[in-house]
């Protein structure tokens, strides 16, 4: 049975914290901060900060300690979306239901707003209240690894190079694990680090985060096709238009859904081995999967 999470309350808390972190007036740099606010304060689902706060909460870490690290992850995510939409990358016009940052502001400001959010994320980690230096260093290291050359940025390069190429399922998984999975995993592991969990629990959460990242991407591929189908009455998606190999192109929609169910089952097995209740995390998993099943 689905446990009821008060999504609105969680999202409202995260949104008002994000708002409080983003400056409004700074004379010459006004436009930079305006662009950053425009990017962050849109209609995001806030899945990454939610995961961080929920996992931390599972290990009795108060919100005052988990919110700032959670915001750092969301800022990295928002910077990646700004840069991903740029003409040099996906050249997208809309994001989160409104014009992309480089359409609403000069392109140079969009690039700099992304840079600002990226650097601000690390400032937030290094100044997070109530955390020891040791915990802060672990968070900084994990976020840098997850979003850098062996993580999101490296995954993005692989993705760009994969246009028009035939990837195997294994190669596709490796690409997406870097591009989107590692940051989602980092959100879960942030909660584990803040909760100072033992090694075995950390490894279990690492496995859960890895698999959740995979589900997230498979779900995104399915939604990409089914939403185009709902909108246009045909299976034409942006991935198809861009000649991209996806889970759907390799497995078919039913195969991709079956894959999600298998991974969901395996994550639930892992939940059982955790030394605490995981109802809320399990609800997030169900919600992510229900979006595409
Ligand atoms: C430009 C360095 C660099 C990296 C870009 C994350 C990323 C890497 C690109 C996004 C492309 C994309 C649409 C990937 C599919 C999965 C994904 C990350 C979707 C967007 O995340 P959500 O659904 O978005 O959490 P919201 O808007 O809800 O925050």
């Amino acid at each position: 049975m689905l446990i009821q999470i008060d999504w609105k309350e969680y999202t409202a808390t995260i949104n008002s914290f994000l708002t409080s972190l983003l400056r409004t007036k700074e004379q010459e740099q006004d436009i930079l901060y305006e662009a950053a606010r425009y990017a962050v304060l849109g209609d995001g689902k806030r899945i990454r900060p939610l995961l961080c706060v929920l996992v931390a909460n599972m290990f009795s870490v108060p919100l005052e300690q988990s919110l700032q690290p959670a915001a750092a992850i969301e800022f990295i995510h928002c910077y990646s979306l700004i840069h991903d939409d740029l003409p040099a990358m996906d050249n997208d016009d809309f994001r989160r239901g409104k014009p992309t940052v480089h359409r609403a502001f000069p392109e140079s400001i969009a690039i700099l707003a992304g840079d600002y959010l990226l650097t601000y994320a690390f400032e937030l980690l290094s100044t997070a209240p109530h955390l020891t230096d040791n915990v802060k260093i672990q968070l900084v290291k994990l976020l840098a690894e997850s979003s850098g050359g062996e993580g999101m940025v490296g995954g993005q390069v692989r993705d760009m190079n994969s246009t028009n190429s035939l990837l195997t399922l294994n190669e596709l998984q490796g690409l997406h694990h870097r591009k989107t999975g590692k940051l989602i995993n980092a959100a879960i592991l942030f909660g584990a680090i803040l909760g100072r969990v033992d090694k075995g629990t950390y490894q279990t959460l690492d496995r859960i985060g890895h698999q959740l990242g995979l589900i997230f991407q498979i779900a995104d591929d399915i939604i990409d096709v089914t939403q185009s189908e709902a909108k246009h009455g045909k299976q034409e998606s942006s991935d198809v238009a861009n000649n991209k190999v996806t889970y759907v192109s390799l497995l078919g929609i039913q195969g991709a859904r079956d894959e999600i169910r298998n991974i969901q089952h395996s994550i639930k097995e892992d939940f059982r081995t955790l030394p605490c209740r995981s109802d809320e995390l399990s609800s997030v998993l169900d919600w992510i999967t229900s979006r595409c099943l």
Side-chain angles (χ1 to χ4, degrees), residues 152-219:
M152 186 178 72
V153 174
Q156 176 79 346
V157 173
R158 282 189 188 205
D159 192 22
M160 282 162 27
N161 290 342
S162 76
T163 305
N164 296 321
S165 2
L166 291 174
L167 296 181
T168 63
L169 188 58
N170 238 350
E171 287 167 337
L172 185 70
Q173 282 182 352
L175 183 164
H176 287 302
H177 173 52
R178 284 181 170 75
K179 186 178 154 193
T180 50
K182 282 197 174 189
L183 197 62
I184 288 175
N185 199 6
I188 289 183
L189 293 179
F190 262 32
I193 291 170
L194 292 167
R196 297 159 186 265
V197 303
D198 61 56
K199 202 171 165 194
T201 304
Y202 189 90
Q203 282 167 348
T204 306
L205 286 166
D206 191 19
R207 212 164 37 240
I208 290 172
H210 186 124
Q211 297 185 93
L212 193 63
L214 206 54
I215 286 194
F216 196 80
Q217 183 61 50
I218 303 174

Side-chain angles (χ1 to χ4, degrees), residues 43-48 74 77 79-85 89-90 95-96 147 152-153 156 179-180 216-217 220 291:
D43 231 356
K45 294 182 288 300
R46 312 297 184 211
I47 286 175
R48 296 155 192 80
E74 182 67 11
H77 169 59
Y79 120 72
S80 82
L81 297 180
I82 301 174
H83 284 193
D84 187 60
D85 290 336
M89 298 214 200
D90 276 5
R95 163 80 60 190
R96 293 175 163 174
S147 55
M152 186 178 72
V153 174
Q156 176 79 346
K179 186 178 154 193
T180 50
F216 196 80
Q217 183 61 50
D220 199 69
R291 291 175 63 227

Side-chain angles (χ1 to χ4, degrees), residues 13-23 37 41 75 120:
T13 304
I14 289 164
N15 280 338
S16 70
F17 188 68
L18 294 173
T19 308
S20 74
L21 292 173
L22 293 165
R23 299 183 197 192
R37 285 172 72 86
L41 302 179
F75 283 175
Y120 192 21

Side-chain angles (χ1 to χ4, degrees), residues 89-102:
M89 298 214 200
D90 276 5
N91 196 18
D92 275 320
D93 294 335
F94 289 94
R95 163 80 60 190
R96 293 175 163 174
K98 60 185 188 181
T100 44
V101 183
H102 66 274

